[in-house]
Amino acid sequence: MSQDPLEGCRISAGKKSAVSLGKALHPPNLLVVVEGTCGACVAASPVSAPEGSCSYNVAHHHLCVCVRVCMAWQGLQKGETLASLKQESENLRRKLEEERGKLTDVELHQVAEKVETVAALSIKTRRVLKGHGNKVLSMDWCKDKRRLVSSSQDGKVIVWDAFTLNKEHGITLPCTWVMACAYAPSGCAVACGGLDNKCSVVPLSLDRNENVTAKKKSVAMHTNYVSGCSFTNSDMQLLTSSGDGTCALWDVESGQLLQSFHGHTADVLSLDLAPSETGNTFVSGGCDMKANVWDMRSGQNIQSFDNHQSDINCVKYYPSGDAFASASDDATCRFYDLRADREVAVYQKDSIIFGASSVDFSLSGRLLFAGYNDYTINVWDVLKGTRVSVLFGHENRVSRVRVSPDGTALCSASWDNTLRVSRT
Amino acid sequence: MEIPGGARGTPPPHPLSLRKMEDIVTRIQDEKAGGVAIRTVKSFLSKIPSVVSGADIVQWLMKNLSIEDPAEAIHLGSLIAAHGYIFPINDHVLTLKDDGTLYRFQSPYFWPSNCWEPENTDYAIYLCKRTMQNKARLELADYEAENLARLQRAFARKWEFIFMQAEAQVKIDRKKDKAERKILDSQERAFWDVHRPVPGCVNTTEMDIRKCRREKNPHRVKKSVYGVPDDGQSQPSPVHVSSQPARKPTREDVQKEITFLNTQLDRHCMKVSKVADSLMTYTEQFLEYDPFVSAVDPSIPWITDDTTFWDLEASREPSQQRVKKWGFSLEEALKDPAGRDQFLKFLESEFSSENLRFWLAVQDMKRRPHQEVSSRAQEIWQEFLAEGAPSSINLDSHSYERTSQNLKDPGRYSYEDAQDHIFQLMKSDSYARFLRSNIYQDLLLARKKVSYTHTPRSLICTALTHSSRFTGQSTFLPSPMVMSFG
């Protein structure tokens, strides 16, 4: 409770004093230093009240309270200091961990013991897409299950028919490091962005002779690099994540910012939309080691997970939308259930020491494909937590892995300038 | 192993993989703690100091990192070599072989975590001094000779300086003990093999630009390998933009945190056992549809070059297996355009299609460009909710009130409540009846086939190049053409 620190103190009338200080509330953790010259003594001597105690006898001094102390106090309201707030936050965090711990009555892999083991997979590369002149940073499948778009460090974006290996469109951006690209749901446009701090939408023409790059339209504007982009259920809205620490939802036609999402305290590296017809949420992961779930309507952060020990490079929803996985520089992938509000599995091995850059689920959600900076792709059994298979083949980091919309193939993009389409 | 990190919320120094590799090579060299024996090997008339065999390293990796497949150990070992922590004594190409090939460990001075970014002047000095020493083992490889020639052209004006530096280095080297020199020379060579790799080899010093800002040496103070003072002409690397210092959390930040944590504490969560069961059930249900786990019929196009599988999916003649999926949940049924159409057909036969049409209309409205949303919202109100609406839907009074309030300032989410309510209604009522209906059962048991005209993709694309994607039909009937890619 508040106590008047100047209680028991007699302020000499006539002396200038900040007696109003006495009305201010006294926070328990604050060391009160009251300075001033004593009207009786010649030398100025600071008089300090130890923590907690507020009454001190200065009756024999005539004090003029130092304005410095007064100003410091006026900055505080309701008896809360930054320190006490931090303490409260820590307490709540501990309590939350305790509460959640009570609900962890069993581990996922224990429950999954009764599930049949997945048969050994023999996954082979079926297509190698060559044509990029530098590292391939990102790719996305078209809903038609055979076309895909990929983007590279050299500023080029290519639309391929992966089935025939035909390059259908080539777009040149004026910047290097195009880190994000996405195919529109209609299949008639692609979005791309990166070091230019923008995300642009390019309509794809059926006329091969037409210069597609000329029709490029800037939609998203960030104050730092664009790390990821995704169309929502329509060609008309675009969701982006950025190195400026925010995510944003844009109206493609007007370029208007519809909603922005603040909460990450460092670069956001990845985002994924919930796979529901009526869904209004998405998850993002970033360099603050947090994975956040957002409500697209309000811009609010609804859930947060901070289990990783380094940057989260990629987040991806489980097909039912009730869970999601993440890939991190700490060389692990993790699986979180939203209903339990908890991490329910960690996918790691002693021999995997390089960061995981990208993850995606197979159609049923049973398998998790993860691309790593050690040039491999590890296939994990989501429920049992074990590794089912490891794919070699790329000659440099794997930057992105994506399962095709009908689940028939896996595409991996790499710093070795190629993309590979693989399946069993 | 303990991952070095800062306080809560601070990521560890970048990149973690370097720390882990350093931990591994330190352990391998620690013979007392189960490491590999590093020894001197006699070869012809000379001795090769301080080496191990590739096979020994592979063995150690398999044993200590629980690796079952030697191929995996070789791959990891090769990566450790490519980063310069171990190197073959007789090859510029940094890979690990599982045989008697001899390897040496790099001196910690040259480790990548020391943030080396050696300049071309240093490289020139290095190549130059190699040519000065009359030793077979120091002869330049072809690519090195080419590099030297290129550097001589580039640094033509200051070549005298470089030459002098190289001479000075040779003098320093001569003073060292013979065996020590062998080791140091090889380590120096390995250092350059990392920073100026053989053409065709991966340059492991390349960084992901998104992570550059938080490097340990953000200002990239360039230290020279040979003590050459920086003449100030070297450009700062464009990639290394200085990062903003991490913002200290303010009171507002912490207050927000507290509010957030309180909300989380109030949240009702499920037990892990329950969600585990739910995840398992979902996965089991869809396992037969997962082409990576189950065999699919007809065969996968990627293997056989036959696109029948995709043509069938695109056609509106759904297989029994596909029809079965509609029975999993209303969501699944609506996700599939064919399922949507059949459900609508069923509802029309019952004269109760307004609910689904309302739901579809709201979905459509949400996909519109921002400036069209308002007018669409009004149209939906007129069609489904206004007094005397032609396709009047049944909303509870609470949702109705909320919705009409929202319509005062119509937006994309004005109908969220109503849509939710209607969805639940359909789920509990008409959907269940749909699954029992003849329309559905006939398809499920393949008693009848669906007939639709197959719309080719090219037509769909042309129709959609215009910004007003969806043909405005007043009864909000989904057009089959538009729904193909829904």
Side-chain angles (χ1 to χ4, degrees), chain A residues 105 311 313 318 362 387, chain B residues 72 75 211 214 273 283 290:
Chain A
D105 47 350
D311 300 359
N313 295 313
Y318 177 79
S362 71
R387 186 176 66 180
Chain B
E72 240 191 281
H75 181 81
K211 321 272 177 157
R214 291 172 296 117
S273 52
T283 305
D290 188 342

Side-chain angles (χ1 to χ4, degrees), chain A residues 96 119 122 178 224 247 269 292 309 348 350 360 388:
Chain A
L96 186 62
S122 163
V178 186
N224 214 310
C247 298
L269 296 179
N292 291 336
Q309 295 173 306
Q348 63 188 343
D350 283 344
D360 200 2
V388 172

Side-chain angles (χ1 to χ4, degrees), chain A residues 223-292:
Chain A
T223 54
N224 214 310
Y225 65 85
V226 170
S227 54
C229 66
S230 173
F231 285 91
T232 62
N233 290 333
S234 102
D235 286 18
M236 291 292 117
Q237 283 116 47
L238 189 64
L239 194 57
T240 56
S241 62
S242 166
D244 65 13
T246 69
C247 298
L249 179 66
W250 311 84
D251 178 65
V252 172
E253 203 182 46
S254 61
Q256 191 182 340
L257 171 68
L258 297 172
Q259 183 66 255
S260 68
F261 305 89
H262 297 263
H264 279 288
T265 53
D267 306 15
V268 186
L269 296 179
S270 171
L271 62 83
D272 188 39
L273 274 153
S276 153
E277 293 291 294
T278 50
N280 291 310
T281 60
F282 72 94
V283 63
S284 66
C287 294
D288 57 357
M289 311 186 287
K290 292 213 177 91
N292 291 336

Side-chain angles (χ1 to χ4, degrees), chain A residues 80 82 85 88-90 92-93 96 100 103-106 108 111 114-115 121 127 135 141 145-146 162-163 177 179 185-188 195 224-225 233-237 243 251 253 256 258 267 269 276-278 280 287 289 297 301-304 306 309 311 313 318-320 329-331 337 339-341 350-351 353-354 362-364 366 369 374-376 383 387 392 395-397 406-410 415 422-424, chain B residues 3 8-12 14 16-17 20-21 24 65-67 72 75-76 79 83 202 204 206-211 213-214 249-251 254-255 257-258 260-262 264-265 267-273 275-280 282-284 286-287 289-293 300-303 305-307 309-310 313 331 334-335 340 359 363 366-372 412-413 416 457-458 461-462 464 467 469 485:
Chain A
E80 290 167 344
L82 184 60
L85 282 177
E88 194 183 335
S89 173
E90 264 310 303
L92 283 173
R93 221 176 269 277
L96 186 62
R100 293 289 182 263
L103 296 171
T104 311
D105 47 350
V106 74
L108 174 61
V111 177
K114 55 185 182 220
V115 176
L121 297 173
R127 300 285 191 279
K135 309 179 179 66
W141 286 94
K145 307 142 191 167
R146 53 187 285 174
F163 190 67
W177 290 88
M179 303 172 230
S186 69
C188 297
L195 268 194
N224 214 310
Y225 65 85
N233 290 333
S234 102
D235 286 18
M236 291 292 117
Q237 283 116 47
D251 178 65
E253 203 182 46
Q256 191 182 340
L258 297 172
D267 306 15
L269 296 179
S276 153
E277 293 291 294
T278 50
N280 291 310
C287 294
M289 311 186 287
R297 297 168 291 181
N301 175 8
I302 357 179
Q303 281 173 279
S304 185
D306 63 354
Q309 295 173 306
D311 300 359
N313 295 313
Y318 177 79
S320 75
D329 274 348
D330 67 6
D337 188 291
R339 298 160 296 186
D341 192 32
D350 283 344
S351 54
I353 61 172
F354 284 82
S362 71
L363 197 136
S364 64
R366 182 63 192 271
F369 298 96
D374 66 2
Y375 319 172
T376 67
L383 301 175
R387 186 176 66 180
F392 297 98
E395 292 166 15
N396 206 324
R397 299 192 195 188
D406 61 355
T408 55
L410 174 75
W415 279 22
S422 317
R423 75 151 283 106
T424 46
Chain B
I3 296 187
R8 166 186 288 287
T10 336
H14 246 268
L16 266 178
S17 50
K20 293 181 187 175
M21 283 190 279
I24 289 174
L65 296 177
S66 322
I67 299 176
E72 240 191 281
H75 181 81
L76 177 58
L79 273 169
H83 280 82
V202 172
T204 55
E206 279 185 322
M207 294 223 53
D208 185 335
I209 202 171
R210 302 171 302 176
K211 321 272 177 157
R213 294 191 292 168
R214 291 172 296 117
T250 63
R251 282 184 65 241
V254 185
Q255 265 162 347
E257 248 177 67
I258 291 172
F260 180 80
L261 289 166
N262 277 315
Q264 297 308 308
L265 277 167
R267 172 195 297 277
H268 169 66
C269 290
M270 288 170 66
K271 282 198 192 151
V272 174
S273 52
V275 303
D277 278 334
S278 161
L279 291 168
M280 274 167 45
Y282 182 90
T283 305
E284 284 293 299
F286 284 89
L287 218 57
Y289 298 91
D290 188 342
F292 268 100
V293 182
I300 299 291
W302 297 104
I303 301 177
D305 291 347
D306 167 22
T307 61
F309 181 81
W310 285 332
E313 282 287 314
E331 274 250 7
L334 292 178
K335 223 192 259 184
R340 213 166 14 204
W359 189 87
Q363 287 294 92
K366 290 198 282 194
R367 292 171 192 179
R368 298 248 163 192
H370 187 66
Q371 61 184 26
E372 290 179 28
R412 187 167 273 106
Y413 302 115
E416 283 304 280
R457 180 179 178 270
S458 54
C461 247
T462 337
L464 292 175
S467 62
R469 297 278 143 114
F485 283 143

Side-chain angles (χ1 to χ4, degrees), chain A residues 137 153 173-180 192-198 222-227, chain B residues 209-210 238-239 241:
Chain A
L137 305 174
Q153 186 195 344
L173 292 181
C175 69
T176 58
W177 290 88
V178 186
M179 303 172 230
C192 47
L195 268 194
D196 55 353
N197 298 359
K198 295 195 262 194
H222 279 278
T223 54
N224 214 310
Y225 65 85
V226 170
S227 54
Chain B
I209 202 171
R210 302 171 302 176
V239 142
V241 279

